[in-house]
Amino acid sequence: MENHRLFEPVNVGSLHLPNRIVMSPMTRVFSPGGVPGENVAAYYRRRAESGVGLIVTEGTWVPHPGASGIENVPCFYGARALEGWARVASEVHAAGGRIMPQLWHTGLLASSTLDSIDDKAWLTNAQIGPSGMVGATGEMPRRLGRAMTQADIDAVIEAFAAGAESAQKLGFDGVALHGGHGYLFDQFFWKETNLRDDHYGGGIAQRTRFACDVIKECRRRTGRNFPLMFRMSQWKLHDYNAKLCDTPQELELFLRPLIDADIDIFDCSQRRFWEPEFSGSDLNLAGWVKKISGRVTMTVGSVGLDLDLMPSLMGQTSKPASLEKLLAMLDRGDFDLVGVGRSLLVDHSWAAKIQRGAHHELLPFSPDALATLS
């Protein structure tokens, strides 16, 4: 498969990628105190050594007291954590790889936590969101936290921009913003959780304002030649049937402000990459976003495996699956990059095995494998 388009280089602005394989962000809890250690650097270096074109790290907390809530997930702030991330970037680059951190704020899905930035600690129960409300499709929203004030919004914008600026200073190749899966950006996007009557609420285009303000400030701090990736999804962790956009026309209304804010790469998260996004077309989400935006898009969702994530979390083993459909979609130009998650999580050599056609050597994914990640 060495000559397939999957292994052709691609340029994203000033960033040159040697192939189209991207390690998709996957949460790991291997950073005690939020500090990535040498084991984390070695973990990412092994994927770079085995031919992954671009690594997007696990989600990392931005420097805001309401961002976090999961123990041992890494921070992207504070001297010790940033020193650890500098080591990660250096190791990946030494192996010839490219890497971006994913910056993350969970909003209303955060939990109470003791957080610390440069030895200044505070206890927070700051579950904040656009309206303080959560709700599944067709349900009445219920209060989970408090609605964000303009001061809250300004503070979160600053937190993401500071994270992007730190990433550039540490030598990363760009930065990824987590805008999907029901987390903070997505809480602004979704009408069930954004009930605001100011300029951050309203129709689908207006509900992108908060994300656009963050993107613009990140761009202002880092400049035009520092690539920005944005993860989006229709589904939410608490509602897999959710839809931000029911039609291509609505998707265009949603995308246009994000395009104008200057996103370079759209990371289009689906549970199953092969499923069409709208009736009447076989394009998936990444295909539609590319068609509408003209920007670089990445597909992700059960690539290389026969089961999506949820059966895996319930204890079922996912076996290696054919890439024939994926490669046909890539050849057709539906998307530019391929995000690989669990396959790369369990097997750092996945890209190298695919390139040399060693499909018989691919490993299955099971929850038990998570205990022995290398």
Side-chain angles (χ1 to χ4, degrees):
M1 194 179 289
E2 186 172 346
N3 295 322
H4 191 274
R5 192 178 182 203
L6 185 63
F7 292 95
E8 290 180 357
V10 61
N11 293 321
V12 182
S14 61
L15 176 62
H16 176 78
L17 301 179
N19 61 56
R20 312 300 179 103
I21 297 174
V22 179
M23 183 175 184
S24 194
M26 291 169 287
T27 298
R28 302 164 71 241
V29 288
F30 289 1
S31 298
V35 177
E38 293 182 5
N39 61 321
V40 175
Y43 165 82
Y44 287 118
R45 175 169 182 149
R46 280 189 288 272
R47 275 83 188 158
E49 289 173 336
S50 297
V52 172
L54 172 65
I55 292 169
V56 182
T57 74
E58 59 214 285
T60 68
W61 305 130
V62 294
H64 183 266
S68 60
I70 305 173
E71 190 176 3
N72 297 335
V73 169
C75 302
F76 210 79
Y77 58 80
R80 291 179 60 231
L82 293 181
E83 182 181 346
W85 282 118
R87 182 189 302 115
V88 170
S90 177
E91 290 289 329
V92 168
H93 290 153
R98 318 288 192 276
I99 185 168
M100 297 181 180
Q102 186 192 64
L103 304 182
W104 191 20
H105 193 303
T106 56
L108 290 167
L109 301 185
S111 60
S112 299
T113 184
L114 182 65
D115 215 339
S116 175
I117 298 179
D118 286 333
D119 299 323
K120 178 182 178 183
W122 61 87
L123 187 64
T124 177
N125 190 21
Q127 289 174 285
I128 58 173
S131 306
M133 311 291 280
V134 296
T137 303
E139 293 181 357
M140 288 294 291
R142 66 186 190 279
R143 185 163 299 282
L144 185 64
R146 64 178 179 83
M148 294 172 72
T149 65
Q150 186 62 52
D152 291 323
I153 288 172
D154 292 343
V156 175
I157 292 171
E158 168 62 27
F160 274 96
E165 198 169 23
S166 292
Q168 187 177 48
K169 289 178 179 177
L170 294 176
F172 282 86
D173 299 292
V175 72
L177 307 176
H178 197 333
H181 302 178
Y183 296 120
L184 184 58
F185 287 118
D186 208 12
Q187 289 159 25
F188 274 86
F189 294 154
W190 204 30
K191 62 184 178 182
E192 277 78 0
T193 49
N194 186 345
L195 309 178
R196 299 178 73 98
D197 58 7
D198 63 2
H199 53 270
Y200 289 104
I204 185 65
Q206 287 70 38
R207 296 195 301 269
T208 67
R209 167 98 183 236
F210 170 65
C212 289
D213 285 354
V214 171
I215 294 162
K216 290 174 183 177
E217 184 59 15
C218 290
R219 178 66 75 201
R220 188 185 73 80
R221 299 275 189 97
T222 61
R224 184 62 197 85
N225 291 325
F226 192 66
L228 300 181
M229 175 185 282
F230 193 84
R231 166 159 278 197
M232 57 174 289
S233 70
Q234 296 264 41
W235 60 275
K236 325 295 172 197
L237 289 176
H238 58 288
D239 187 351
Y240 288 108
N241 296 316
K243 287 276 191 181
L244 273 178
C245 307
D246 292 312
T247 66
Q249 293 75 25
E250 197 169 14
L251 180 61
E252 183 168 9
L253 290 174
F254 169 76
L255 288 172
R256 187 55 54 191
L258 298 171
I259 298 165
D260 292 342
D262 208 12
I263 284 295
D264 297 290
I265 305 170
F266 284 99
D267 172 3
C268 304
S269 178
Q270 288 185 255
R271 295 177 69 191
R272 309 170 188 94
F273 77 85
W274 57 86
E275 292 184 342
E277 192 57 42
F278 302 114
S279 61
S281 168
D282 63 352
L283 288 175
N284 70 359
L285 181 60
W288 273 109
V289 172
K290 182 174 177 62
K291 180 177 180 178
I292 291 169
S293 71
R295 298 295 169 95
V296 173
T297 65
M298 180 171 83
T299 196
V300 64
S302 307
V303 170
L305 294 172
D306 66 346
L307 296 176
D308 67 30
L309 177 61
M310 291 313 297
S312 292
L313 296 180
M314 299 300 292
Q316 296 186 48
T317 296
S318 299
K319 298 177 182 177
S322 169
L323 296 179
E324 184 177 352
K325 175 66 172 176
L326 176 84
L327 299 179
M329 294 166 74
L330 181 62
D331 277 343
R332 193 172 66 175
D334 290 8
F335 40 78
D336 307 279
L337 304 171
V338 175
V340 183
R342 287 169 292 152
S343 293
L344 271 172
L345 188 66
V346 75
D347 185 358
H348 64 261
S349 298
W350 186 87
K353 290 175 181 178
I354 293 297
Q355 186 167 20
R356 68 173 189 266
H359 297 270
H360 60 287
E361 297 180 15
L362 298 176
L363 301 178
F365 177 89
S366 68
D368 293 340
L370 297 178
T372 57
L373 292 180
S374 63

